[in-house]
Amino acid sequence: MILGIGTDLANIERIQGTLDRFGDRFKNRVFTEIEQQKAERRKDTAGTYAKRWAAKEACSKALGTGLAMGIAWRDMSVSNLKSGQPVMHVTGWAAERLAEMTPAGHQATIHVTLTDDHPWAQAFVVIEALPVSPSNA
């Protein structure tokens, strides 16, 4: 069953301007160390940050809160599998909200996809609840 859907579109040039203006202060407030390491290794640093910004916005919408109700930017983070597939992680209040919205006997999975075409970066998040079988409990 689908618990939530969120999408966001971020302007890469706007994120670049924010990086230029606020630098580490912005990065440390919004992005985890893993996200920063990934972005700083990439040729398109601003595009990488913009996709992760959009993913956090999309995730907060899928959680049904937006960036309100106590969710911090760093409560949501994106890493990548070896295949390159992005994976969304939640901690803190975002994890609490996810647990609250997940029906008993189910396990939540967060699906995320990212794309960019300069000057735009986009993310789409779907939160799905799957029944937990007794053998997997």
Side-chain angles (χ1 to χ4, degrees), residues 11-30:
N11 185 289
I12 296 169
E13 292 170 1
R14 181 175 151 252
I15 296 297
Q16 181 64 64
T18 303
L19 289 165
D20 293 343
R21 185 170 177 199
F22 297 105
D24 287 343
R25 193 170 102 201
F26 169 67
K27 290 187 264 188
N28 292 332
R29 187 178 126 245
V30 176

Side-chain angles (χ1 to χ4, degrees), residues 46-107:
T48 302
Y49 279 122
K51 285 185 279 189
R52 277 148 180 75
W53 171 281
K56 291 168 188 270
E57 287 273 10
C59 185
S60 71
K61 293 170 184 175
L63 289 168
T65 63
L67 283 162
M69 298 175 57
I71 291 182
W73 286 103
R74 292 171 54 105
D75 284 348
M76 301 165 287
S77 66
V78 177
S79 66
N80 296 83
L81 299 177
K82 288 184 190 250
S83 65
Q85 177 184 348
V87 179
M88 177 65 70
H89 308 275
V90 293
T91 59
W93 199 91
E96 291 174 22
R97 172 68 181 146
L98 181 62
E100 176 185 294
M101 64 191 286
T102 304
H106 289 72
Q107 180 174 340

